[in-house]
Every structure is written in C-alpha cells, then in structure tokens.
Amino acid sequence: MEVFINLLVNGVSTGLLIFLLAAGLTLIFGLMNVLNFAHGGLFVWGAFSGAWIFKETNSFLLAIAGAIVIGIGLGWVMERFLIRPVYGNHVRQLLITLGGMLILSESIKIFWGPNPIRVNLPGWLEGSYQFDGIIIIKYRVFVIVIGLLLYLALWLLLSRTQIGLMIRAGVMDKEMVQALGINVKGLFTFVFLLGAALAALGGALLAPYSGVVFAEMGMQYAILAFIVVIIGGMGSLQGSALASLIVGVAGAFMAYFMPDLSLALNMLLLVIVLLVKPTGLLGEKGSAV
C-alpha cells in the first residue's frame, strides 16, 4: 500500500507538471490553430531562469515570478516575429517553430553553459509527510496543489468570463467574431502569452522537482506534451488534463514495475487511443477549448 500511494502521488504530480506545458499547447492550437514545437523552449527557459533566480535570491516565489515574466517576454517575441507570418500554414509553422526550439535550447548554453545545473528544493518545501508508514514528499504535494489550482483557474477563465466566451467563440467562428468588432489578433496574442506563461511556470516547478536541468530537456518535454495533447484531444483543456494524469501515473507505475518498457509506454498509449478514438479521449472534430 505504501508503494502504491507513493507511486500514485509521484505520477499525479508529474502529470500535473506535464499539464502545465500541454495546457499552453492546447490553448494555442484550440484558438490559433498553430502547431508550436518551440513551446518546449519556453519550458526550458522557465526552468533555467527560475533556477538561476532562486540561486541568486534564495526566494522560490520570486524565482517562479521571474520565470513567468521571462516566459511571457520570450512568448511575445516568438508570437510577433515567428508565428504571425505563418498563420494558416502548418508546414511552415512546423519548420519555423522547430527552428525556434533549437535556438531557444542552444541559447541556454550561452548564458548558463553546456553542462547540466543542479537545483535544490526550497527550504520550506524540503522533507516529507508521514502517515502510518506512508511517506509523501512535501514538494510533490505542493506541485499537485498548484497544478489543480491552475486547472481550476483556466476552466473558470474559459467557461465563466467574457474573455473566455470570446476565446471559445473565436475557436468556432473567427470571421463572425471579427465581424462583431472583437480584436481576434489581440485574443491570439493573449492566448499565446498565457500558454508561454504556463510553459515557463512548468519549467520553474520542474527544476527543483527533478533536481537537475539541462538544455535538451525542452525537446524531450515538448514531445511528451504533444503526445498528451493528442491523447486528450486537440483543443480540449479537460482532455489534456485527463491525458496528463494518465501519462504521469502510468509512467510512474511502469518505471517501477517494468522500467525497460517505460520509454515506450507513452507511444503505446498514443497508438491505443488513436486506434480506439482518433479524435482523442475528449476531443471532437472542430472542438473548442
């Protein structure tokens, strides 16, 4: 029972970290119809900048805030100069965002060098909780709480606010929304920056979680996030949340019981879901966020 609970907590916390990255991709694809492979670059910049700010200031909250600000800044540059010229062309989006991913990853080495950087846990999140022999690491509980709160905030934003209504309307009929006088281009920018902030936050939270960050991790997690988005259903926030939890929990149990197959698990899940339901778990043709 102790092993089961520990693996479950580990899987849920990992899944919610993946969700922060996948949620941004879901929002960007759902409204903008943009395949953004450079999203992982924002994730790795969030991890490195958060780790650096934490080391310099010894304030984890300031590190998180700084990583989000840097992610938003990089996201604005990316949307303005990389994404806007290729709206509506998936082939060009794929090529130019892959190039952006490589630039962001390699630029990490200019500022922090080519070697991995070790990241410590903040003092107030070190240690663990113990319940009748069950040990639960504090930082994983912290990640779960933050992930659930952010999911709730995104759900409320999209379903209970005026800007969420405009976003969902823009998903279904951009031309009609524009005809009503709503600035769809401004909505695009807002959604892209929100996705960038979520990616950077995910990176900042992952750094102490994994204990080490390296420049190539952006591509690794970007691929994982795309798998999650496809499993959950392109454009479905709820689908991405569900798929993130499935991938995280399944990965934790597989790594413990059958470590040799853990790397192939995500692709196996992707194939099974696409064979059973090609639009993803909660996705439908033309689905909104």
Side-chain angles (χ1 to χ4, degrees):
M1 179 59 68
E2 291 85 354
V3 172
F4 175 82
I5 293 177
N6 283 323
L7 289 175
L8 182 62
V9 172
N10 184 27
V12 171
S13 58
T14 301
L16 289 173
L17 282 175
I18 298 170
F19 169 71
L20 295 179
L21 185 59
L25 285 175
T26 295
L27 292 172
I28 291 169
F29 181 84
L31 176 62
M32 303 169 66
N33 197 25
V34 171
L35 297 173
N36 180 23
F37 275 90
H39 206 65
L42 301 174
F43 181 81
V44 74
W45 264 89
F48 270 85
S49 59
W52 176 73
I53 295 172
F54 178 48
K55 180 180 178 181
E56 295 297 322
T57 64
N58 201 32
S59 171
F60 187 54
L61 296 180
L62 186 60
I64 290 176
I68 292 174
V69 170
I70 290 173
I72 291 174
L74 290 173
W76 181 86
V77 172
M78 186 185 301
E79 194 274 337
R80 177 66 180 83
F81 296 103
L82 291 183
I83 303 300
R84 283 191 191 180
V86 295
Y87 278 143
N89 190 323
H90 284 170
V91 175
R92 294 181 64 191
Q93 290 168 9
L94 176 63
L95 294 175
I96 200 168
T97 57
L98 277 175
M101 175 72 229
L102 293 175
I103 291 172
L104 288 172
S105 296
E106 292 302 313
S107 63
I108 287 287
K109 300 175 183 179
I110 298 175
F111 293 93
W112 290 285
N115 298 321
I117 294 178
R118 183 169 180 79
V119 185
N120 296 320
L121 288 170
W124 54 283
L125 289 174
E126 290 181 340
S128 59
Y129 302 107
Q130 296 189 29
F131 305 97
D132 295 329
I134 300 172
I135 300 175
I136 301 176
I137 297 173
K138 287 183 179 180
Y139 190 77
R140 290 176 182 169
V141 176
F142 172 76
V143 168
I144 291 173
V145 171
I146 295 297
L148 292 176
L149 289 176
L150 284 170
Y151 169 75
L152 179 61
L154 287 172
W155 180 79
L156 290 174
L157 172 69
L158 294 171
S159 63
R160 295 291 187 269
T161 66
Q162 184 176 4
I163 192 170
L165 176 63
M166 290 188 293
I167 290 173
R168 288 184 286 118
V171 172
M172 292 182 282
D173 196 334
K174 297 174 187 176
E175 290 76 15
M176 181 61 73
V177 171
Q178 285 178 319
L180 293 174
I182 296 173
N183 184 0
V184 174
K185 187 176 292 185
L187 281 178
F188 280 7
T189 301
F190 170 78
V191 170
F192 197 92
L193 296 185
L194 178 60
L198 289 171
L201 173 60
L205 292 175
L206 176 75
Y209 185 86
S210 64
V212 64
V213 292
F214 51 95
E216 292 76 17
M217 66 189 293
M219 181 62 75
Q220 172 185 335
Y221 279 90
I223 294 173
L224 185 58
F226 267 101
I227 291 174
V228 164
V229 169
I230 295 170
I231 290 175
M234 299 292 278
S236 171
L237 181 68
Q238 291 81 6
S240 290
L242 176 61
S244 297
L245 291 176
I246 291 173
V247 168
V249 172
F253 278 88
M254 185 65 75
Y256 182 82
F257 291 106
M258 302 179 68
D260 293 338
L261 298 179
S262 60
L263 293 177
L265 175 64
N266 295 325
M267 294 306 299
L268 180 61
L269 288 172
L270 177 62
V271 170
I272 292 173
V273 170
L274 291 181
L275 287 174
V276 175
K277 195 171 187 291
T279 56
L281 295 175
L282 299 181
E284 297 178 3
K285 293 182 179 180
S287 65
V289 179

